[in-house]
Amino acid sequence: SLVNDYVNDIEISLRDCLNSVVEKNIETEVIEKIPNDPKDTEIEKKEIKTIDQIISESRKAIVNISTDQGGGTGFIISLQDSLGKNYGSKYASSIKNNTDFRPGFGNMGDYDLIATVMTNFHVIENSSTVIIVDDNGIEHPAYVIAVNQDKDLALLQTCCSTSWGYLEFNENKINIGEEVIALGYPSTLIDVTGKDFVSTYGVVSSETELKEDILGIEKETWVIQTDAAINPGNSGGPLIN
């Protein structure tokens, strides 16, 4: 069942929510150290993850959202075990289990995880049922635990899976021309149902505060413009740098 719970003291601020759509590109430092003599020097290399590595590692955190009104995409920002411990972004560390899933009551096993999912409010708006479909095609009932209509954001919780992942996001600066990947379950010419996972690639064209209302978005809204293809069904999914 859907719980329309309008929470004003949601733990994630607007800045944190907006920054959540841009995941930090993790760099692995490889340092080769050689003794101090003329033929030996210290070399520091940075190995940047490839696009296919980023997609592969992020995919377990991207979920398909299906409702009686339509659907879209969401991404997991934290996972909570049966003991109540949160794993995931520091911004989601204080989020509690706000569902009927309880260990020992037959609906949650000892090793099951409760996932907190971020998406857009319009993805679940006016819906009486919300279903999370994971990367394996398995359906999980979801609860809406918080919404912010003005910022078009919603938090969902669902259970139960041991194979989910989460996106670790940071407050990192957005750079014009930066390469980005949009991940989600959009409707396409190949699959109009939006059940297939799709990745598209592009760059950040600009980031700005709107000076006037446009395309249904109110002025003074902070937006990122990208040429990565985004289609209906991508709503709620992440844009990853």
Side-chain angles (χ1 to χ4, degrees), residues 192-212:
V192 295
T193 65
K195 292 183 179 179
D196 287 342
F197 179 83
V198 175
S199 66
T200 57
Y201 171 84
V203 299
V204 173
S205 305
S206 69
E207 55 143 340
T208 187
E209 185 179 76
L210 295 181
K211 304 300 186 294
E212 57 185 22

Side-chain angles (χ1 to χ4, degrees), residues 119-147:
T119 188
N120 287 129
F121 171 72
H122 72 261
V123 171
I124 53 88
E125 187 175 8
N126 297 323
S127 299
S128 58
T129 58
V130 179
I131 300 295
I132 298 294
V133 186
D134 65 23
D135 191 40
N136 297 314
I138 301 174
E139 296 185 351
H140 307 271
Y143 294 79
V144 178
I145 64 167
V147 299

